[in-house]
Amino acid sequence: MSVVLNIQRSITGQPWHWRGLAGDSRGGLVPDDLVTQLLLARGVAREDLDMHKAPSIRAFMPDPSIFRDMDKAAERLADAVEKREQVAIFGDYDVDGATSAALLILLLRDLGLEARPYIPDRLMEGYGPSGEALVRLKGEGASLIVTVDCGAQAFEALEMARDAGAEVIVVDHHKCTTELPVALALVNPNRLDEDEGAAHGHLAAVGVAWLLGAALVRVLRARGWFASRPEPKLLDLLDIVALGTVADVAALRGLNRAFVAQGLKVMAQRRNIGLNALIEASRLTRAPTCTDLGFALGPRINAGGRVGRSDLGVRLLTTRDPQEAREIAEELNLLNEERRAIEASVQAEAEEISLLKANHSVAVIASKGWHAGVIGIVAGRLKEKLGRPAIVIALDEDGIGKGSGRSIPGVDLGAAVLAAKDAGLLKAGGGHAMACGVTIEADKLDAFAEFLEERLSERVTQAMGERALLLDAVVAPGGVCPDLVNAMEAGGPYGMGWPAPRVAAGPVTVIKADVVGSGGHVRLIVAGPDGRSIKAVAFRQADTELGQALLSAPRHRKLWLAGRARIDDWGSRPAAELHVEDAAWAD
């Protein structure tokens, strides 16, 4: 990759490279040219540009039958619909689990079957299906149980369910081992024996559930079920699919791009009563964006499972009552505020402990008294600050730890956790490349950390050595404007695996810099050689080397700023600002 602006080492210590074929936008690129370059830089073949400029379900959707057990699962669900059986949907307590469960409940409701949701309590029951819960659902009349966003590693629980005569369909996306748990059907693109379906291993569980829904409708159509009934509109459920996909940080490529692009259009129509109430509770006055799904709507759904009642998300997304929807949305809003306060406390303690483990390739941080509902968020923040994988573990009074981990690109944390489980270091564990969950005994923490160090240190060192800030365009300060932002948005939706465009702006002089907010954000006003000024902000950077450099930048020294150009719509008319991720001296 070629170096941008001859910056070999920025203030954060990394070189600036072009992403793919991107170039200098000061050369007069028109919006269409810019979008083409953005797509090419993200790996789109030139012959596929049109389908990526307007990602549709039709263009990206595979035949659901390519996935192992998909047809078996769809046939069994179709039997349940025809016979009006009692069906229970067992979902995980996070956004992906809530949206997956809600999607199947809404679809089955449209087919005339009212399924029962079951979301385990995070603190009392833990992650995934328990044998006791499955047996209880069977005893209460459920002839078919569908687990969503969990089950791929539930060996004991599914054996208990089988022994009790329960039929279970597993719909999941987490990594599998060679051996699979017993189930009537196990639909998961990350099964090791998948063929064509493996190409869709980046789907969130809600995406897999939607494909199961498509397979179910197809089976019922073939059976003549819709001869006297309207077919459900699967596309109307894409708002829920988009929310679960983005909130679970699934890679936004292939089918996921179509899910999110089309799902945002459905969401803008406010068809789902619960989602509409949540949008209002989030104080959004415009159509939600991909960023809103990840930072406004998703965290509120998650708050129910983290610090409140785990079933609130599913209840919100499936309610028919606008008043109930408003009440649940407001409750989730309050729980999200509580979650933020708890998270800040745990974050501060985790960062202090991490200083003692500065030489570890994977930060394994554990302590008693932490709330297990926020450890995933803290792990993500810690990973960003340290630049390496982090696992945060909350220990209970009995010395059992529940942990959540987040990784960096190029380091498969989920596979390492599965290997640690096989080595007898974990009571339970699983995940995918970028995230994991573990249950561990306190006396095995050191051995677990050493195992990860031995297995991943070389890969982490390599990934960190390959670190570079990738840029899509260089603009004059005045070029950070709404027209640029709108032009770049045409290459979206952006998220994990499909990064939002990053631009370098400059050279600039810092006119004003101060710290705002409890998170330590650095707010800037900078000006270019022509005297035109723009606003910029570096989030949570006040106590970092980057933040200190920006706060103390002398007037006589010029800087290049790199980050994401965003619309600031707080004023009387939209303006653009730069969200700064890095900077480099221009002289």
Side-chain angles (χ1 to χ4, degrees):
M1 293 185 180
S2 56
V3 177
V4 181
L5 301 170
N6 200 33
I7 294 171
Q8 301 281 359
R9 184 177 176 83
S10 67
I11 289 173
T12 65
Q14 58 188 330
W16 289 5
H17 291 165
W18 288 120
R19 188 196 315 274
L21 302 176
D24 191 333
S25 66
R26 292 175 299 180
L29 290 173
V30 298
D32 281 344
D33 290 331
L34 178 57
V35 172
T36 296
Q37 288 206 20
L38 292 175
L39 295 176
L40 291 173
R42 282 152 184 77
V44 177
R46 192 168 292 276
E47 59 269 22
D48 294 333
L49 284 172
D50 288 342
M51 65 186 289
H52 280 83
K53 286 181 178 179
S56 67
I57 301 298
R58 180 184 297 274
F60 286 96
M61 183 173 171
D63 181 346
S65 294
I66 68 173
F67 298 93
R68 290 189 180 276
D69 284 1
M70 179 70 82
D71 291 340
K72 186 187 298 183
E75 293 282 353
R76 180 62 185 90
L77 270 174
D79 292 342
V81 169
E82 290 183 333
K83 297 174 183 176
R84 295 291 193 271
E85 297 181 42
Q86 289 191 39
V87 176
I89 310 296
F90 190 113
D92 187 23
Y93 38 65
D94 68 359
V95 184
D96 194 17
T99 52
S100 300
L103 184 146
L104 290 182
I105 289 168
L106 291 173
L107 174 58
L108 291 172
R109 181 184 293 170
D110 283 347
L111 294 169
L113 184 66
E114 197 67 36
R116 171 187 175 180
Y118 187 97
I119 309 295
D121 182 274
R122 177 190 289 265
L123 299 180
M124 300 301 295
E125 298 179 78
Y127 169 77
S130 67
E132 293 79 8
L134 297 178
V135 171
R136 185 167 61 251
L137 288 171
K138 169 64 176 175
E140 293 172 354
S143 57
L144 178 64
I145 304 169
V146 184
T147 72
V148 288
D149 195 31
C150 57
Q153 293 292 315
F155 291 92
E156 293 182 9
L158 291 175
E159 285 180 6
M160 287 180 63
R162 178 199 59 189
D163 294 343
E167 290 188 290
V168 182
I169 294 172
V170 174
V171 179
D172 205 351
H173 71 131
H174 293 99
K175 283 187 176 293
C176 295
T177 54
T178 304
E179 181 184 357
L180 297 174
V182 293
L184 176 72
L186 196 156
V187 184
N188 185 339
N190 286 307
R191 287 175 55 154
L192 295 181
D193 58 350
E194 271 293 353
D195 296 318
E196 292 181 70
H200 301 277
H202 60 290
L203 292 178
V206 69
V208 182
W210 192 87
L211 289 173
L212 173 59
L216 169 60
V217 169
R218 184 170 62 183
V219 170
L220 289 172
R221 186 187 305 125
R223 295 185 184 185
W225 182 253
F226 303 116
S228 58
R229 304 174 180 84
E231 286 197 19
K233 297 180 179 178
L234 277 168
L235 295 181
D236 287 353
L237 297 174
L238 288 177
D239 51 358
I240 294 178
V241 180
L243 175 58
T245 298
V246 173
D248 209 52
V249 202
L252 295 191
R253 51 185 173 85
L255 182 58
N256 279 345
R257 275 177 53 72
F259 278 153
V260 176
Q262 300 305 318
L264 286 171
K265 294 178 182 178
V266 175
M267 196 176 294
Q269 298 168 16
R270 306 287 187 97
R271 294 179 180 178
N272 184 289
I273 293 171
L275 264 181
N276 184 45
L278 191 65
I279 291 169
E280 292 179 352
S282 303
R283 310 295 186 263
L284 292 176
T285 57
R286 46 167 172 71
T289 65
C290 198
T291 299
D292 295 326
L293 303 189
F295 293 96
L297 304 183
R300 285 169 169 80
I301 294 283
N302 251 337
R306 292 186 187 280
V307 296
R309 297 201 312 278
S310 57
D311 66 341
L312 287 178
V314 173
R315 286 178 52 203
L316 176 74
L317 296 173
T318 59
T319 184
R320 301 180 177 94
D321 183 352
Q323 179 59 31
E324 181 186 29
R326 285 191 291 272
E327 292 173 356
I328 295 175
E330 285 302 328
E331 184 173 359
L332 288 172
N333 212 27
L334 292 173
L335 289 171
N336 193 48
E337 292 300 319
E338 181 183 345
R339 185 270 305 168
R340 287 178 175 172
I342 295 171
E343 173 197 328
S345 174
V346 176
Q347 179 75 30
E349 293 181 27
E351 288 184 4
E352 185 174 346
I353 295 173
S354 73
L355 295 176
L356 304 175
K357 302 175 181 291
N359 61 337
H360 290 202
S361 299
V362 179
V364 179
I365 310 297
S367 182
K368 290 183 178 180
W370 287 348
H371 195 298
V374 302
I375 54 176
I377 302 173
V378 172
R381 298 261 193 234
L382 202 58
K383 179 260 298 187
E384 291 296 328
K385 184 162 188 174
L386 300 176
R388 51 196 168 92
I391 299 177
V392 177
I393 299 170
L395 297 168
D396 65 18
E397 295 179 355
D398 298 322
I400 301 299
K402 296 291 180 66
S404 188
R406 298 294 183 269
S407 193
I408 60 177
V411 180
D412 191 335
L413 194 56
V417 163
L418 283 178
K421 180 185 173 185
D422 290 341
L425 297 174
L426 302 175
K427 290 176 66 67
H432 46 80
M434 299 299 290
C436 72
V438 302
T439 301
I440 185 172
E441 296 168 334
D443 59 3
K444 293 185 178 178
L445 281 169
D446 289 342
F448 176 53
E450 290 173 7
F451 179 90
L452 293 179
E453 185 72 21
E454 181 177 346
R455 183 182 177 93
L456 295 178
S457 61
E458 185 175 337
R459 191 67 200 96
V460 170
T461 299
Q462 182 179 350
M464 293 177 69
E466 295 169 350
R467 188 172 67 110
L469 195 79
L470 302 182
L471 292 165
D472 293 280
V474 174
V475 297
V480 180
C481 62
D483 284 345
L484 175 69
V485 178
N486 292 332
M488 292 190 300
E489 281 301 310
Y494 298 106
M496 175 61 67
W498 198 268
R502 186 183 288 118
V503 303
V508 299
T509 299
V510 177
I511 304 300
K512 180 181 179 181
D514 58 3
V515 179
V516 297
S518 59
H521 312 312
V522 178
R523 180 176 58 184
L524 304 162
I525 296 178
V526 300
D530 59 359
R532 295 185 62 179
S533 64
I534 60 171
K535 292 192 297 182
V537 58
F539 291 104
R540 296 185 297 276
Q541 296 293 326
D543 60 348
T544 68
E545 186 175 0
L546 173 62
Q548 289 300 306
L550 296 174
L551 289 167
S552 61
R555 286 289 186 95
H556 67 274
R557 293 200 70 182
K558 291 182 170 56
L559 283 162
W560 287 100
L561 301 179
R564 322 279 189 178
R566 293 284 191 261
I567 295 293
D568 174 16
D569 51 13
W570 284 101
S572 58
R573 61 177 183 174
E577 63 182 18
L578 190 67
H579 292 182
V580 179
E581 299 173 65
D582 201 359
W585 300 110
D587 48 23

